Amino acid sequence: MRIAFALTGALCAAAMTSTAIAAKPTTQNRAEIPAEFRWDFSAIYPSWAAWEDGMKDMDARMDAFVTMKGTLARGPARLLEAYRAYDEIGKLQYRVYRYPQLQRDVDTRDQNVAGRFQRVGAAFAKFATATAWFQPELLDIPEATVKGWIEQTPALAPYRFTILDSFRQKAHVLDAKGERLLSLASRFNGSPPSIYQELSTSDIKFPTIKLSDGKDVVLSPGNYGALLESNPNQADRARAAAAHVGTYGATANTYGAIYNGLLQRDWFVAQARNFDTTLDAALDGNAIPRAVVETLIDATRSGSAPFQRYARLRQKLLGLPTYHLYDSFVPVFRSDKTYPYEKARELVIASVAPLGDDYVAKYRKFVSGGRVDVYENEGKKSGAYNAGVYGVGPYLLMNYNDTLDAAFTLAHEGGHAMHTVLSFESQPFVTADYTIFVAEVASTTNERFLLDELLAQTSDPKERFLLLQHAVDSIVGTFYTQVLFADFELRAHRLVEKGEPVTTEALNGLYAGVLKDYWGDALTADDFYKYTWARISHFFDTPYYVYQYATCFASSAQLYGAMTTGTPESRRAATARYLTLLKSGGNDHPMAQLKKAGVDLTQRATIQAVIDQMDKLVSQMEQEAAKIR
């Protein structure tokens, strides 16, 4: 039994109205950004006092849950009572966790909020210790007996998958004393990501550089990303990349020590639970075969030729004597078109029309206001994510900058949100959360729908080329790059498993090595990029996460194809299967859920299909470029 916070959430209440397209705020002072573009936390709790009451309520329910120890074997009624009690605690955990966490992320400098968030971590650790008895006690009951109770007790039906999955994992559950010992260590498990968060967000000082036009720019993550995409001067991009990545390199020894702590933590847990490798330990919870990751990496390494061919095409069209990573974001052809947030919001809504009126209506509700924190502000966490609050809804973080990429990020995160909306509506609490393994299917599918919408709205060859380029860049960023990251972190974990030292030099060498393996001689390697591992937050927060971007991309490509090609009947059937996937939450193992939807990731051909798609798109780009020139 555990609480796994989903990436996404449920619906917000207001309906979106048609308004004039507002300009992006010129300020980074959060208080001066209009409220409609900021999160409204009142749906979670109206005040910190109410949050304190929630903490007390959760604590009391935790104490009551502990009194159930020793009662599970008495029959199905007591087992049902325990699971229902845990559900109620879980619903509270969503609220008491997200209320400070979300507020921390929009101003990481606020230490009062950070302190409250730490209190939540301590409360969760206390609960893990106090309930360490549950799994061993459940698994002491014969599985046949528990199955009989489920058959005889209809109210236990929602818990069937969860209960039987516990028995599947029995070999890796310790006795009560062992589970208690591991739970005591759990509060230290969050130390590496917490330290990384403070170092890379709260304490980091990004440099200011002077560009070739004489302007100064502070290389915050948002400014840096926008510069690489919009600045046509290679020397400016080179200077920005060296300064931004170099900021992490300046404290690389500290980042290395943090990462070593995380790797050691993962290996400790894997050994304590009787797993052969950290990868096995990470995959077992969702019953993912190790071969899925190993096949993904092997097939992608072998299929790097289209990836490299794309780099060479870009170098040729950009007229560059050498090609570097910092050149991979600037458009080959330029357009002065911008995508203000409110325009992008309407585009992403229109793009999902193929999924039906009900989906569109729910999507419109979600983006209506108060649930999307749109613009960058001082102290705000970089990037984008969608965080769910059960019984309240999704909260989507953006750092929107009016670019095409930002519009696609909105579509991506909106896909996460709708996945959760449908899962929370269709599933009981115990199976409402979908797994990370399927999380990126909905997001990348929505990106593809947005691409179709944008292509349908223009006949300009340059605009179409830019959109086509974005499609290829999506494969580069969501597939090839994520497999490269997965390759690195698998190798890093294997250092610890083999008892080899994890030093900054070793990590730099690993990262430089995978860059060479995937890019080959299509890329001129810059030495400072060896520090890139230090700025990839997923490495420090959720190990063995990033490979799932690639498997999900492969899955969504196959599902999208089924929904948009073939006979009307076959497309309708594929769409129904897809929506069923989004509604299924965590009611089965993710590999099984995807197979029901029409995807088998055990087949190398599923991965190869993305590589073949990349090859075809690059060829199409070559043809379109010739027409434009």
Side-chain angles (χ1 to χ4, degrees):
M1 301 173 74
R2 62 184 175 88
I3 294 296
F5 292 100
L7 293 174
T8 51
L11 286 170
C12 59
M16 183 162 65
T17 58
S18 177
T19 61
I21 295 177
K24 177 187 173 187
T26 57
T27 179
Q28 288 202 6
N29 183 334
R30 184 169 180 81
E32 297 175 2
I33 296 174
E36 65 184 292
F37 302 124
R38 292 185 276 124
W39 277 335
D40 176 8
F41 304 107
S42 63
I44 307 174
Y45 286 114
S47 65
W48 282 110
W51 176 80
E52 291 284 0
D53 290 340
M55 289 284 285
K56 292 175 184 176
D57 186 16
M58 183 177 69
D59 194 59
R61 290 176 182 272
M62 287 177 178
D63 290 341
F65 188 84
V66 172
T67 65
M68 298 179 182
K69 182 179 180 180
T71 67
L72 300 186
R74 297 178 186 175
R78 302 312 296 268
L79 185 63
L80 176 62
E81 180 185 9
Y83 271 103
R84 283 178 168 173
Y86 198 87
D87 282 357
E88 294 308 309
I89 296 169
K91 294 171 188 178
L92 270 172
Q93 285 184 307
Y94 265 100
R95 292 175 182 260
V96 301
Y97 179 90
R98 291 296 190 204
Y99 193 69
Q101 179 246 319
L102 295 172
Q103 296 190 61
R104 178 205 62 180
D105 283 359
V106 295
D107 188 356
T108 60
R109 303 165 300 177
D110 192 328
Q111 291 302 299
N112 289 327
V113 173
R116 286 165 169 150
F117 187 57
Q118 288 178 14
R119 285 176 54 197
V120 176
F124 284 14
K126 171 189 170 183
F127 185 55
T129 301
T131 58
W133 58 271
F134 185 88
Q135 284 291 84
E137 185 171 318
L138 171 66
L139 298 179
D140 277 345
I141 307 170
E143 183 175 359
T145 299
V146 176
K147 285 182 176 178
W149 290 353
I150 295 172
E151 296 299 328
Q152 300 161 15
T153 313
L156 275 173
Y159 304 98
R160 179 184 183 88
F161 174 73
T162 301
I163 292 172
L164 296 185
D165 200 48
S166 294
F167 281 97
R168 178 187 65 82
Q169 300 176 70
K170 185 174 182 178
H172 304 291
V173 177
L174 309 183
D175 60 19
K177 289 183 178 179
E179 288 295 328
R180 183 176 185 277
L181 185 62
L182 286 182
S183 69
L184 288 171
S186 66
R187 69 178 58 199
F188 302 107
N189 290 345
S191 294
S194 178
I195 297 169
Y196 177 83
Q197 170 77 13
E198 296 299 328
L199 180 62
S200 64
T201 305
S202 302
D203 292 340
I204 199 166
K205 303 297 180 185
F206 290 107
T208 299
I209 65 168
K210 187 176 291 293
L211 301 178
S212 57
D213 61 4
K215 294 180 180 178
D216 292 333
V217 59
V218 178
L219 292 174
S220 67
N223 289 343
Y224 175 61
L227 186 150
L228 291 188
E229 183 176 330
S230 62
N231 194 309
N233 187 298
Q234 188 184 42
D236 282 346
R237 297 196 299 270
R239 194 178 305 115
H244 183 80
V245 180
T247 303
Y248 296 87
T251 50
N253 290 332
T254 303
Y255 284 115
I258 297 169
Y259 196 46
N260 182 40
L262 182 141
L263 296 173
Q264 298 290 351
R265 177 203 72 184
D266 289 354
W267 185 220
F268 161 72
V269 173
Q271 292 178 99
R273 293 203 175 279
N274 303 309
F275 288 103
D276 293 334
T277 69
T278 54
L279 180 60
D280 291 326
L283 300 181
D284 185 70
N286 292 325
I288 307 297
R290 187 197 306 178
V292 169
V293 177
E294 294 174 339
T295 299
L296 171 70
I297 291 173
D298 181 64
T300 307
R301 269 176 176 273
S302 301
S304 61
F307 178 54
Q308 295 174 17
R309 187 157 67 93
Y310 176 54
R312 295 188 183 95
L313 172 64
R314 285 182 52 82
Q315 179 182 353
K316 176 183 176 182
L317 295 176
L318 289 168
L320 299 175
T322 58
Y323 191 75
H324 304 255
L325 274 177
Y326 51 74
D327 297 322
S328 59
F329 303 95
V330 64
V332 172
F333 297 107
R334 295 191 170 275
S335 169
D336 59 2
K337 179 177 285 189
T338 60
Y339 296 82
Y341 172 69
E342 293 184 63
K343 176 182 178 181
R345 185 172 61 180
E346 293 297 334
L347 282 168
V348 297
I349 292 171
S351 70
V352 296
L355 297 179
D357 293 342
D358 182 63
Y359 186 100
V360 170
K362 290 171 181 174
Y363 202 165
R364 185 174 290 276
K365 271 193 172 184
F366 163 64
V367 296
S368 62
R371 298 302 172 85
V372 184
D373 206 86
V374 180
Y375 297 110
E376 186 176 16
N377 62 251
E378 295 172 357
K380 184 177 179 180
K381 182 181 176 70
S382 63
Y385 68 73
N386 207 72
V389 185
Y390 187 85
V392 177
Y395 281 79
L396 192 159
L397 182 137
M398 295 282 295
N399 284 273
Y400 199 86
N401 61 6
D402 291 359
T403 62
L404 178 64
D405 185 64
F408 274 98
T409 300
L410 178 62
H412 180 103
E413 300 300 339
H416 284 313
M418 288 307 300
H419 192 172
T420 298
V421 166
L422 297 176
S423 290
F424 280 10
E425 285 182 349
S426 306
Q427 296 295 318
F429 177 81
V430 68
T431 54
D433 282 337
Y434 51 84
T435 64
I436 293 174
F437 193 81
V438 297
E440 299 301 334
V441 172
S443 57
T444 51
T445 298
N446 278 21
E447 284 193 69
R448 184 58 189 265
F449 280 128
L450 178 58
L451 176 65
D452 287 349
E453 180 71 18
L454 293 170
L455 284 171
Q457 292 189 11
T458 181
S459 59
D460 180 87
K462 282 190 177 180
E463 292 290 345
R464 294 181 66 83
F465 182 93
L466 289 173
L467 292 169
L468 189 62
Q469 176 181 255
H470 190 280
V472 173
D473 286 341
S474 292
I475 299 177
V476 171
T478 310
F479 183 76
Y480 280 101
T481 301
Q482 303 307 323
V483 178
L484 184 155
F485 288 164
D487 200 340
F488 166 80
E489 70 173 341
L490 180 58
R491 295 187 193 195
H493 278 85
R494 285 175 173 170
L495 288 178
V496 172
E497 294 167 9
K498 295 175 183 177
E500 297 178 8
V502 180
T503 63
T504 303
E505 183 179 359
L507 294 172
N508 288 347
L510 280 184
Y511 198 83
V514 293
L515 281 179
K516 180 64 175 176
D517 290 342
Y518 285 78
W519 287 88
D521 60 6
L523 187 78
T524 298
D526 295 282
D527 186 64
F528 61 81
Y529 273 116
K530 68 188 179 185
Y531 296 116
T532 301
W533 58 269
R535 64 184 293 266
I536 307 302
S537 60
H538 277 315
F539 291 165
F540 296 83
D541 189 24
T542 47
Y544 293 120
Y545 178 101
V546 294
Y547 84 91
Q548 295 165 115
Y549 283 109
T551 53
C552 285
F553 191 91
S555 300
S556 65
Q558 191 163 345
L559 293 168
Y560 167 84
M563 289 188 286
T564 56
T565 59
T567 65
E569 292 77 12
S570 69
R571 294 198 300 270
R572 283 194 294 269
T575 302
R577 290 195 302 270
Y578 175 70
L579 292 173
T580 296
L581 171 67
L582 301 190
K583 295 174 183 178
S584 62
N587 68 0
D588 203 344
H589 296 125
M591 291 283 287
Q593 291 176 322
L594 287 170
K595 282 185 178 180
K596 293 173 190 175
V599 177
D600 186 355
L601 285 166
T602 65
Q603 300 299 311
R604 191 183 181 99
T606 303
I607 307 303
Q608 185 62 43
V610 180
I611 297 168
D612 293 341
Q613 181 186 33
M614 175 75 169
D615 191 57
K616 181 179 179 181
L617 286 169
V618 173
S619 296
Q620 188 176 347
M621 288 187 71
E622 290 170 340
Q623 296 168 7
E624 294 297 332
K627 294 177 185 177
I628 295 172
R629 297 183 68 180

PDB file of all heavy atoms in Angstrom, residues 43 96 141 170 188 205 223 265 272 305 314 356-357 366-367 381 386 399 403 424 426 430 490 560 572:
ATOM      1  N   ALA A  43      -8.810  25.890  -3.818  1.00  0.00           N
ATOM      2  CA  ALA A  43      -9.587  24.659  -4.001  1.00  0.00           C
ATOM      3  C   ALA A  43      -8.993  23.501  -3.203  1.00  0.00           C
ATOM      4  O   ALA A  43      -9.688  22.519  -2.924  1.00  0.00           O
ATOM      5  CB  ALA A  43      -9.649  24.292  -5.479  1.00  0.00           C
ATOM      6  N   VAL A  96      -2.510  17.651   1.622  1.00  0.00           N
ATOM      7  CA  VAL A  96      -1.497  18.224   2.513  1.00  0.00           C
ATOM      8  C   VAL A  96      -0.129  18.274   1.836  1.00  0.00           C
ATOM      9  O   VAL A  96       0.703  19.108   2.195  1.00  0.00           O
ATOM     10  CB  VAL A  96      -1.414  17.451   3.853  1.00  0.00           C
ATOM     11  CG1 VAL A  96      -2.752  17.474   4.570  1.00  0.00           C
ATOM     12  CG2 VAL A  96      -0.925  16.029   3.660  1.00  0.00           C
ATOM     13  N   ILE A 141      -1.239 -14.238   5.128  1.00  0.00           N
ATOM     14  CA  ILE A 141      -2.506 -14.933   4.865  1.00  0.00           C
ATOM     15  C   ILE A 141      -2.352 -15.695   3.554  1.00  0.00           C
ATOM     16  O   ILE A 141      -1.845 -15.146   2.567  1.00  0.00           O
ATOM     17  CB  ILE A 141      -3.669 -13.920   4.755  1.00  0.00           C
ATOM     18  CG1 ILE A 141      -3.718 -13.015   5.979  1.00  0.00           C
ATOM     19  CG2 ILE A 141      -5.000 -14.644   4.570  1.00  0.00           C
ATOM     20  CD1 ILE A 141      -4.689 -11.849   5.829  1.00  0.00           C
ATOM     21  N   LYS A 170       5.601 -10.684  -3.604  1.00  0.00           N
ATOM     22  CA  LYS A 170       5.878 -11.223  -2.271  1.00  0.00           C
ATOM     23  C   LYS A 170       7.355 -11.524  -2.044  1.00  0.00           C
ATOM     24  O   LYS A 170       7.878 -11.334  -0.943  1.00  0.00           O
ATOM     25  CB  LYS A 170       5.047 -12.487  -2.049  1.00  0.00           C
ATOM     26  CG  LYS A 170       5.164 -13.073  -0.646  1.00  0.00           C
ATOM     27  CD  LYS A 170       4.210 -14.238  -0.463  1.00  0.00           C
ATOM     28  CE  LYS A 170       4.297 -14.803   0.962  1.00  0.00           C
ATOM     29  NZ  LYS A 170       3.328 -15.907   1.169  1.00  0.00           N
ATOM     30  N   PHE A 188      15.346   9.446   4.728  1.00  0.00           N
ATOM     31  CA  PHE A 188      16.612   9.872   4.135  1.00  0.00           C
ATOM     32  C   PHE A 188      16.631   9.680   2.622  1.00  0.00           C
ATOM     33  O   PHE A 188      17.480  10.239   1.934  1.00  0.00           O
ATOM     34  CB  PHE A 188      17.776   9.099   4.765  1.00  0.00           C
ATOM     35  CG  PHE A 188      17.873   9.269   6.257  1.00  0.00           C
ATOM     36  CD1 PHE A 188      17.513   8.237   7.109  1.00  0.00           C
ATOM     37  CD2 PHE A 188      18.291  10.469   6.806  1.00  0.00           C
ATOM     38  CE1 PHE A 188      17.576   8.397   8.476  1.00  0.00           C
ATOM     39  CE2 PHE A 188      18.367  10.638   8.179  1.00  0.00           C
ATOM     40  CZ  PHE A 188      18.003   9.602   9.024  1.00  0.00           C
ATOM     41  N   LYS A 205      22.965  30.687  -9.152  1.00  0.00           N
ATOM     42  CA  LYS A 205      23.030  32.043  -9.689  1.00  0.00           C
ATOM     43  C   LYS A 205      23.463  31.965 -11.153  1.00  0.00           C
ATOM     44  O   LYS A 205      24.609  31.658 -11.459  1.00  0.00           O
ATOM     45  CB  LYS A 205      24.028  32.896  -8.896  1.00  0.00           C
ATOM     46  CG  LYS A 205      23.736  32.994  -7.406  1.00  0.00           C
ATOM     47  CD  LYS A 205      22.404  33.665  -7.121  1.00  0.00           C
ATOM     48  CE  LYS A 205      22.147  33.756  -5.613  1.00  0.00           C
ATOM     49  NZ  LYS A 205      20.798  34.297  -5.322  1.00  0.00           N
ATOM     50  N   ASN A 223      15.138  31.967 -20.202  1.00  0.00           N
ATOM     51  CA  ASN A 223      15.858  32.830 -21.145  1.00  0.00           C
ATOM     52  C   ASN A 223      16.831  32.028 -22.009  1.00  0.00           C
ATOM     53  O   ASN A 223      16.989  32.291 -23.197  1.00  0.00           O
ATOM     54  CB  ASN A 223      16.620  33.910 -20.385  1.00  0.00           C
ATOM     55  CG  ASN A 223      15.709  34.953 -19.783  1.00  0.00           C
ATOM     56  OD1 ASN A 223      14.552  35.079 -20.166  1.00  0.00           O
ATOM     57  ND2 ASN A 223      16.223  35.714 -18.832  1.00  0.00           N
ATOM     58  N   ARG A 265      21.827   4.873  -2.612  1.00  0.00           N
ATOM     59  CA  ARG A 265      20.496   4.620  -2.054  1.00  0.00           C
ATOM     60  C   ARG A 265      19.752   3.570  -2.865  1.00  0.00           C
ATOM     61  O   ARG A 265      19.177   2.615  -2.325  1.00  0.00           O
ATOM     62  CB  ARG A 265      19.689   5.926  -2.044  1.00  0.00           C
ATOM     63  CG  ARG A 265      18.254   5.781  -1.549  1.00  0.00           C
ATOM     64  CD  ARG A 265      17.373   6.910  -2.062  1.00  0.00           C
ATOM     65  NE  ARG A 265      17.097   6.788  -3.490  1.00  0.00           N
ATOM     66  CZ  ARG A 265      16.405   7.695  -4.187  1.00  0.00           C
ATOM     67  NH1 ARG A 265      15.973   8.801  -3.594  1.00  0.00           N
ATOM     68  NH2 ARG A 265      16.169   7.505  -5.473  1.00  0.00           N
ATOM     69  N   ALA A 272      18.472  -4.847  -0.472  1.00  0.00           N
ATOM     70  CA  ALA A 272      17.653  -5.147   0.700  1.00  0.00           C
ATOM     71  C   ALA A 272      16.397  -5.913   0.303  1.00  0.00           C
ATOM     72  O   ALA A 272      15.909  -6.757   1.068  1.00  0.00           O
ATOM     73  CB  ALA A 272      17.280  -3.864   1.427  1.00  0.00           C
ATOM     74  N   ALA A 305      21.316   6.211 -37.168  1.00  0.00           N
ATOM     75  CA  ALA A 305      21.659   6.797 -38.469  1.00  0.00           C
ATOM     76  C   ALA A 305      20.704   7.926 -38.890  1.00  0.00           C
ATOM     77  O   ALA A 305      21.168   8.996 -39.316  1.00  0.00           O
ATOM     78  CB  ALA A 305      21.723   5.711 -39.540  1.00  0.00           C
ATOM     79  N   ARG A 314      20.665  19.616 -41.003  1.00  0.00           N
ATOM     80  CA  ARG A 314      20.563  20.919 -40.345  1.00  0.00           C
ATOM     81  C   ARG A 314      21.848  21.727 -40.545  1.00  0.00           C
ATOM     82  O   ARG A 314      21.791  22.930 -40.830  1.00  0.00           O
ATOM     83  CB  ARG A 314      20.279  20.736 -38.851  1.00  0.00           C
ATOM     84  CG  ARG A 314      18.838  20.321 -38.547  1.00  0.00           C
ATOM     85  CD  ARG A 314      18.616  20.194 -37.037  1.00  0.00           C
ATOM     86  NE  ARG A 314      19.050  21.400 -36.351  1.00  0.00           N
ATOM     87  CZ  ARG A 314      18.322  22.520 -36.242  1.00  0.00           C
ATOM     88  NH1 ARG A 314      17.117  22.568 -36.798  1.00  0.00           N
ATOM     89  NH2 ARG A 314      18.799  23.569 -35.609  1.00  0.00           N
ATOM     90  N   GLY A 356     -13.444  13.546 -29.545  1.00  0.00           N
ATOM     91  CA  GLY A 356     -14.853  13.611 -29.197  1.00  0.00           C
ATOM     92  C   GLY A 356     -15.251  14.833 -28.386  1.00  0.00           C
ATOM     93  O   GLY A 356     -14.423  15.479 -27.735  1.00  0.00           O
ATOM     94  N   ASP A 357     -16.541  15.142 -28.422  1.00  0.00           N
ATOM     95  CA  ASP A 357     -17.067  16.341 -27.763  1.00  0.00           C
ATOM     96  C   ASP A 357     -16.878  16.313 -26.252  1.00  0.00           C
ATOM     97  O   ASP A 357     -16.612  17.350 -25.632  1.00  0.00           O
ATOM     98  CB  ASP A 357     -18.560  16.500 -28.086  1.00  0.00           C
ATOM     99  CG  ASP A 357     -18.810  16.805 -29.558  1.00  0.00           C
ATOM    100  OD1 ASP A 357     -17.858  17.230 -30.250  1.00  0.00           O
ATOM    101  OD2 ASP A 357     -19.958  16.620 -30.014  1.00  0.00           O
ATOM    102  N   PHE A 366     -10.680  22.523 -17.926  1.00  0.00           N
ATOM    103  CA  PHE A 366      -9.395  22.484 -17.239  1.00  0.00           C
ATOM    104  C   PHE A 366      -8.585  23.755 -17.449  1.00  0.00           C
ATOM    105  O   PHE A 366      -7.968  24.285 -16.526  1.00  0.00           O
ATOM    106  CB  PHE A 366      -8.589  21.261 -17.689  1.00  0.00           C
ATOM    107  CG  PHE A 366      -7.133  21.361 -17.345  1.00  0.00           C
ATOM    108  CD1 PHE A 366      -6.729  21.398 -16.018  1.00  0.00           C
ATOM    109  CD2 PHE A 366      -6.172  21.459 -18.336  1.00  0.00           C
ATOM    110  CE1 PHE A 366      -5.393  21.525 -15.687  1.00  0.00           C
ATOM    111  CE2 PHE A 366      -4.846  21.588 -18.019  1.00  0.00           C
ATOM    112  CZ  PHE A 366      -4.444  21.619 -16.696  1.00  0.00           C
ATOM    113  N   VAL A 367      -8.532  24.270 -18.679  1.00  0.00           N
ATOM    114  CA  VAL A 367      -7.680  25.425 -18.983  1.00  0.00           C
ATOM    115  C   VAL A 367      -8.390  26.756 -18.777  1.00  0.00           C
ATOM    116  O   VAL A 367      -7.928  27.794 -19.246  1.00  0.00           O
ATOM    117  CB  VAL A 367      -7.138  25.337 -20.431  1.00  0.00           C
ATOM    118  CG1 VAL A 367      -6.241  24.135 -20.600  1.00  0.00           C
ATOM    119  CG2 VAL A 367      -8.273  25.309 -21.458  1.00  0.00           C
ATOM    120  N   LYS A 381      10.106  27.581 -10.133  1.00  0.00           N
ATOM    121  CA  LYS A 381      10.746  26.382 -10.664  1.00  0.00           C
ATOM    122  C   LYS A 381      10.710  26.419 -12.178  1.00  0.00           C
ATOM    123  O   LYS A 381       9.707  26.820 -12.773  1.00  0.00           O
ATOM    124  CB  LYS A 381      10.017  25.144 -10.143  1.00  0.00           C
ATOM    125  CG  LYS A 381      10.608  23.808 -10.576  1.00  0.00           C
ATOM    126  CD  LYS A 381       9.781  22.665 -10.003  1.00  0.00           C
ATOM    127  CE  LYS A 381      10.279  21.306 -10.492  1.00  0.00           C
ATOM    128  NZ  LYS A 381      11.583  20.956  -9.905  1.00  0.00           N
ATOM    129  N   ASN A 386       2.600  18.777 -14.660  1.00  0.00           N
ATOM    130  CA  ASN A 386       1.203  18.790 -14.257  1.00  0.00           C
ATOM    131  C   ASN A 386       1.058  17.921 -13.019  1.00  0.00           C
ATOM    132  O   ASN A 386       1.468  16.761 -13.019  1.00  0.00           O
ATOM    133  CB  ASN A 386       0.314  18.263 -15.384  1.00  0.00           C
ATOM    134  CG  ASN A 386      -1.089  18.838 -15.288  1.00  0.00           C
ATOM    135  OD1 ASN A 386      -1.275  20.011 -15.573  1.00  0.00           O
ATOM    136  ND2 ASN A 386      -2.052  18.037 -14.894  1.00  0.00           N
ATOM    137  N   ASN A 399       6.263  27.841 -17.984  1.00  0.00           N
ATOM    138  CA  ASN A 399       7.054  29.064 -18.032  1.00  0.00           C
ATOM    139  C   ASN A 399       6.905  29.573 -19.468  1.00  0.00           C
ATOM    140  O   ASN A 399       7.857  29.579 -20.254  1.00  0.00           O
ATOM    141  CB  ASN A 399       8.509  28.798 -17.663  1.00  0.00           C
ATOM    142  CG  ASN A 399       8.712  28.611 -16.176  1.00  0.00           C
ATOM    143  OD1 ASN A 399       8.897  29.579 -15.451  1.00  0.00           O
ATOM    144  ND2 ASN A 399       8.659  27.372 -15.701  1.00  0.00           N
ATOM    145  N   THR A 403       6.470  30.981 -27.723  1.00  0.00           N
ATOM    146  CA  THR A 403       7.113  30.289 -28.837  1.00  0.00           C
ATOM    147  C   THR A 403       6.276  29.093 -29.274  1.00  0.00           C
ATOM    148  O   THR A 403       5.368  28.637 -28.557  1.00  0.00           O
ATOM    149  CB  THR A 403       8.509  29.796 -28.449  1.00  0.00           C
ATOM    150  OG1 THR A 403       8.386  28.851 -27.370  1.00  0.00           O
ATOM    151  CG2 THR A 403       9.397  30.954 -28.014  1.00  0.00           C
ATOM    152  N   PHE A 424      -9.495   9.641 -12.985  1.00  0.00           N
ATOM    153  CA  PHE A 424     -10.127   9.917 -11.702  1.00  0.00           C
ATOM    154  C   PHE A 424     -11.645   9.767 -11.782  1.00  0.00           C
ATOM    155  O   PHE A 424     -12.285   9.360 -10.821  1.00  0.00           O
ATOM    156  CB  PHE A 424      -9.765  11.327 -11.231  1.00  0.00           C
ATOM    157  CG  PHE A 424      -8.394  11.430 -10.602  1.00  0.00           C
ATOM    158  CD1 PHE A 424      -7.493  10.382 -10.659  1.00  0.00           C
ATOM    159  CD2 PHE A 424      -8.004  12.591  -9.961  1.00  0.00           C
ATOM    160  CE1 PHE A 424      -6.228  10.474 -10.091  1.00  0.00           C
ATOM    161  CE2 PHE A 424      -6.745  12.697  -9.382  1.00  0.00           C
ATOM    162  CZ  PHE A 424      -5.859  11.638  -9.440  1.00  0.00           C
ATOM    163  N   SER A 426     -13.246   7.666 -13.727  1.00  0.00           N
ATOM    164  CA  SER A 426     -13.646   6.299 -14.061  1.00  0.00           C
ATOM    165  C   SER A 426     -13.211   5.255 -13.058  1.00  0.00           C
ATOM    166  O   SER A 426     -13.755   4.142 -13.060  1.00  0.00           O
ATOM    167  CB  SER A 426     -13.082   5.928 -15.445  1.00  0.00           C
ATOM    168  OG  SER A 426     -13.453   6.874 -16.421  1.00  0.00           O
ATOM    169  N   VAL A 430      -8.397   3.710  -5.212  1.00  0.00           N
ATOM    170  CA  VAL A 430      -7.273   2.783  -5.102  1.00  0.00           C
ATOM    171  C   VAL A 430      -6.580   2.532  -6.438  1.00  0.00           C
ATOM    172  O   VAL A 430      -5.385   2.258  -6.480  1.00  0.00           O
ATOM    173  CB  VAL A 430      -7.727   1.448  -4.450  1.00  0.00           C
ATOM    174  CG1 VAL A 430      -8.674   0.688  -5.371  1.00  0.00           C
ATOM    175  CG2 VAL A 430      -6.532   0.595  -4.054  1.00  0.00           C
ATOM    176  N   LEU A 490      21.603   4.137 -16.617  1.00  0.00           N
ATOM    177  CA  LEU A 490      21.788   2.704 -16.439  1.00  0.00           C
ATOM    178  C   LEU A 490      23.270   2.389 -16.225  1.00  0.00           C
ATOM    179  O   LEU A 490      23.637   1.608 -15.336  1.00  0.00           O
ATOM    180  CB  LEU A 490      21.244   1.945 -17.650  1.00  0.00           C
ATOM    181  CG  LEU A 490      21.358   0.418 -17.611  1.00  0.00           C
ATOM    182  CD1 LEU A 490      20.638  -0.148 -16.397  1.00  0.00           C
ATOM    183  CD2 LEU A 490      20.797  -0.194 -18.892  1.00  0.00           C
ATOM    184  N   TYR A 560      -1.769   6.745 -32.383  1.00  0.00           N
ATOM    185  CA  TYR A 560      -2.180   7.837 -33.257  1.00  0.00           C
ATOM    186  C   TYR A 560      -2.434   7.319 -34.675  1.00  0.00           C
ATOM    187  O   TYR A 560      -3.430   7.679 -35.309  1.00  0.00           O
ATOM    188  CB  TYR A 560      -1.117   8.930 -33.270  1.00  0.00           C
ATOM    189  CG  TYR A 560      -1.312   9.939 -34.385  1.00  0.00           C
ATOM    190  CD1 TYR A 560      -2.180  11.011 -34.228  1.00  0.00           C
ATOM    191  CD2 TYR A 560      -0.626   9.804 -35.598  1.00  0.00           C
ATOM    192  CE1 TYR A 560      -2.371  11.922 -35.257  1.00  0.00           C
ATOM    193  CE2 TYR A 560      -0.807  10.712 -36.629  1.00  0.00           C
ATOM    194  CZ  TYR A 560      -1.677  11.769 -36.453  1.00  0.00           C
ATOM    195  OH  TYR A 560      -1.872  12.662 -37.468  1.00  0.00           O
ATOM    196  N   ARG A 572     -12.700   4.613 -35.380  1.00  0.00           N
ATOM    197  CA  ARG A 572     -13.570   4.762 -34.200  1.00  0.00           C
ATOM    198  C   ARG A 572     -13.226   3.728 -33.135  1.00  0.00           C
ATOM    199  O   ARG A 572     -13.184   4.034 -31.936  1.00  0.00           O
ATOM    200  CB  ARG A 572     -15.043   4.645 -34.605  1.00  0.00           C
ATOM    201  CG  ARG A 572     -15.609   5.885 -35.272  1.00  0.00           C
ATOM    202  CD  ARG A 572     -17.120   5.838 -35.347  1.00  0.00           C
ATOM    203  NE  ARG A 572     -17.584   4.770 -36.219  1.00  0.00           N
ATOM    204  CZ  ARG A 572     -17.817   4.937 -37.525  1.00  0.00           C
ATOM    205  NH1 ARG A 572     -17.606   6.119 -38.086  1.00  0.00           N
ATOM    206  NH2 ARG A 572     -18.250   3.926 -38.255  1.00  0.00           N
TER     207      ARG A 572
END
